[in-house]
Amino acid sequence: MDGILLQTVEGLGDAPLVRTGGEIWEWLQGEKEEVAHELLWEGPLCQAGVSGVQEAEASEENEREIEWRHRGRLEARLREINDAQDRLLDGAYGRCADCGAEIGGKRLAADPAVSLCITCQRNTEVDAVCCTM
Ligand SMILES: [Zn+2]
């Protein structure tokens, strides 16, 4: 598992940002457990709110929406991490899932679960804005 990528990239050898495959895997695993834990923890909290003290309907609805959005983000994050681990296993890690370009070492260091290069990431962000308009 160790050293399947990045280490071979010349010029990055002295950068402290470079991680081995095993380290990336462990980081992803830790992150996954954290997110999964948060998701589990949110479940019962949700139900307690329903049977608990009744608040004004509007604010309760608002709260639920925020909660759902938060949950959605956590689930999306979980998928992202799983995908990154899949790519790590099949040797596609470090490459953009969209265009196949190499993802920068700094970008991967900041978030080892990223699946898109900076260009494609920007494109999806633009799309997302368009969709919500
Ligand atoms: Zn790309």
Side-chain angles (χ1 to χ4, degrees), residues 111-131:
D111 180 7
V114 287
S115 59
L116 297 173
C117 70
I118 190 76
T119 313
C120 293
Q121 181 70 51
R122 279 196 189 129
N123 285 343
T124 63
E125 274 162 16
V126 169
D127 285 350
V129 170
C130 287
C131 290

Side-chain angles (χ1 to χ4, degrees), residues 53-79:
V53 183
Q54 291 285 322
E55 286 179 38
E57 258 179 53
S59 84
E60 204 173 276
E61 237 166 67
N62 202 19
E63 253 173 56
R64 207 166 298 166
E65 201 190 311
I66 291 166
E67 228 171 68
W68 275 113
R69 274 191 205 172
H70 182 59
R71 248 187 119 75
R73 269 202 299 274
L74 286 176
E75 278 166 6
R77 181 71 183 150
L78 214 52
R79 271 197 299 273

Side-chain angles (χ1 to χ4, degrees), residues 6-128:
L6 292 179
Q7 280 183 331
T8 57
V9 181
E10 277 186 13
L12 283 176
D14 58 343
L17 300 173
V18 178
R19 290 185 170 105
T20 63
E23 278 173 327
I24 295 164
W25 181 272
E26 268 173 37
W27 186 92
L28 289 167
Q29 196 63 32
E31 180 86 355
K32 196 159 88 172
E33 275 161 24
E34 228 169 79
V35 174
H37 181 80
E38 203 175 334
L39 265 173
L40 286 175
W41 184 77
E42 292 233 333
L45 187 82
C46 215
Q47 284 169 0
V50 173
S51 59
V53 183
Q54 291 285 322
E55 286 179 38
E57 258 179 53
S59 84
E60 204 173 276
E61 237 166 67
N62 202 19
E63 253 173 56
R64 207 166 298 166
E65 201 190 311
I66 291 166
E67 228 171 68
W68 275 113
R69 274 191 205 172
H70 182 59
R71 248 187 119 75
R73 269 202 299 274
L74 286 176
E75 278 166 6
R77 181 71 183 150
L78 214 52
R79 271 197 299 273
E80 219 171 65
I81 296 164
N82 276 327
D83 284 354
Q85 286 188 320
D86 281 349
R87 289 197 302 279
L88 208 53
L89 283 179
D90 64 21
Y93 184 81
R95 290 197 175 275
C96 176
D98 204 356
C99 71
E102 234 172 84
I103 300 172
K106 275 188 193 167
R107 191 165 156 71
L108 282 175
D111 180 7
V114 287
S115 59
L116 297 173
C117 70
I118 190 76
T119 313
C120 293
Q121 181 70 51
R122 279 196 189 129
N123 285 343
T124 63
E125 274 162 16
V126 169
D127 285 350

